[in-house]
């Protein structure tokens, strides 16, 4: 976020029940939330849908923000959770309704974004990590995707810094071969 001060202040006022502050907070957050959702989801429309979910969650649960950590940290958690939920929903929908792709609409691998493919690979790897080692997901998401500093990420994960670093190292070790083999 460009200027943390006003956002943090708006978040505190909104958490205290100030509706005007909440409206201003949501308007201020929207561009950044869409951008952050775009880090997870390859399709812009899906990122925008996830961003709407994030803003809705913020509006509904702002009272749960106690101000013990930065609002940005709390927000990153909401973003990560909503994006992962949107990905699961999209994947489930695709499995339930397989669609035959007409040759005219087939994806040309020469024009497919490497970035988009890597995001899908990362979401697949996170989903697999969650199944196999659920305690390793939060460190990877907070540090490598949300890009929080180590101390803030450890605080958000609710574990000591040394434990956080150990789990992050193990999460990266687990995920690396999955990403290179896809």
């Amino acid at each position: 976020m460009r200027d943390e001060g006003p956002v943090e202040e708006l978040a505190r006022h909104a958490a205290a029940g100030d509706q005007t502050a909440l409206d201003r907070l949501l308007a201020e957050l929207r561009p950044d939330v869409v951008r952050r959702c775009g880090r997870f989801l390859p399709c812009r429309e899906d990122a925008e849908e996830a961003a709407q979910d994030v803003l809705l969650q913020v509006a509904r649960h702002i009272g749960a923000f106690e101000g013990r950590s930065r609002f940005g940290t709390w927000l990153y958690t909401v973003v990560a959770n909503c994006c992962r939920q949107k990905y699961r929903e999209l994947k489930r929908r695709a499995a339930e309704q397989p669609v035959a792709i007409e040759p005219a609409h087939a994806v040309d691998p020469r024009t497919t974004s490497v970035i988009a493919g890597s995001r899908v690979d990362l979401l697949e790897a996170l989903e697999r990590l969650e199944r196999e080692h659920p305690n390793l997901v939060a460190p990877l998401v907070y540090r490598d995707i949300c890009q929080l500093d180590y101390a803030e990420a450890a605080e958000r994960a609710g574990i000591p810094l040394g434990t956080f670093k150990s789990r992050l190292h193990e999460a990266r070790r687990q995920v690396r071969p999955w990403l290179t083999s896809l």
Side-chain angles (χ1 to χ4, degrees):
M1 285 168 222
R2 295 173 302 280
D3 188 7
E4 293 282 8
V7 170
E8 295 291 327
E9 188 175 330
L10 282 172
R12 281 193 298 278
H13 287 291
D18 182 340
Q19 185 61 44
T20 303
L22 177 61
D23 293 342
R24 287 180 50 212
L25 176 67
L26 295 174
E28 181 74 23
L29 292 177
R30 190 177 193 299
D32 188 54
V33 168
V34 170
R35 184 177 52 79
R36 291 192 181 280
C37 289
R39 283 186 177 171
F40 281 90
L41 299 164
C43 179
R44 174 122 179 115
E45 291 83 10
D46 295 336
E48 287 176 355
E49 267 188 56
Q52 288 295 359
D53 293 343
V54 168
L55 296 174
L56 183 60
Q57 291 299 318
V58 169
R60 285 184 178 162
H61 302 291
I62 190 68
F65 174 63
E66 298 171 351
R68 289 185 294 195
S69 62
R70 288 182 32 240
F71 173 74
T73 304
W74 184 80
L75 179 64
Y76 296 155
T77 304
V78 177
V79 168
N81 290 338
C82 285
C83 287
R84 291 172 59 212
Q85 183 60 38
K86 174 57 69 183
Y87 177 71
R88 286 186 197 112
E89 176 187 315
L90 293 168
K91 196 171 167 186
R92 184 176 54 250
R93 229 185 291 153
E96 290 171 357
Q97 300 173 339
V99 177
I101 298 175
E102 297 176 26
H105 298 297
V107 176
D108 181 353
R110 293 170 297 173
T111 61
T112 301
S113 167
V114 171
I115 294 169
S118 65
R119 288 182 198 152
V120 171
D121 294 345
L122 177 60
L123 288 166
E124 287 288 335
L126 281 172
E127 195 170 280
R128 182 173 174 186
L129 187 64
E130 190 167 35
R131 280 191 314 270
E132 296 179 14
H133 306 284
N135 64 329
L136 301 180
V137 174
L140 191 67
V141 168
Y142 291 142
R143 179 68 186 131
D144 290 354
I145 297 173
C146 295
Q147 298 177 335
L148 300 178
D149 64 46
Y150 284 97
E152 192 173 9
E155 178 186 326
R156 189 71 194 144
I159 55 178
L161 183 57
T163 304
F164 179 86
K165 287 181 177 180
S166 173
R167 288 184 184 174
L168 177 60
H169 174 76
E170 181 60 20
R172 288 172 175 165
R173 191 182 72 72
Q174 290 288 328
V175 167
R176 191 173 293 116
W178 302 338
L179 293 176
T180 57
S181 68
L182 292 176

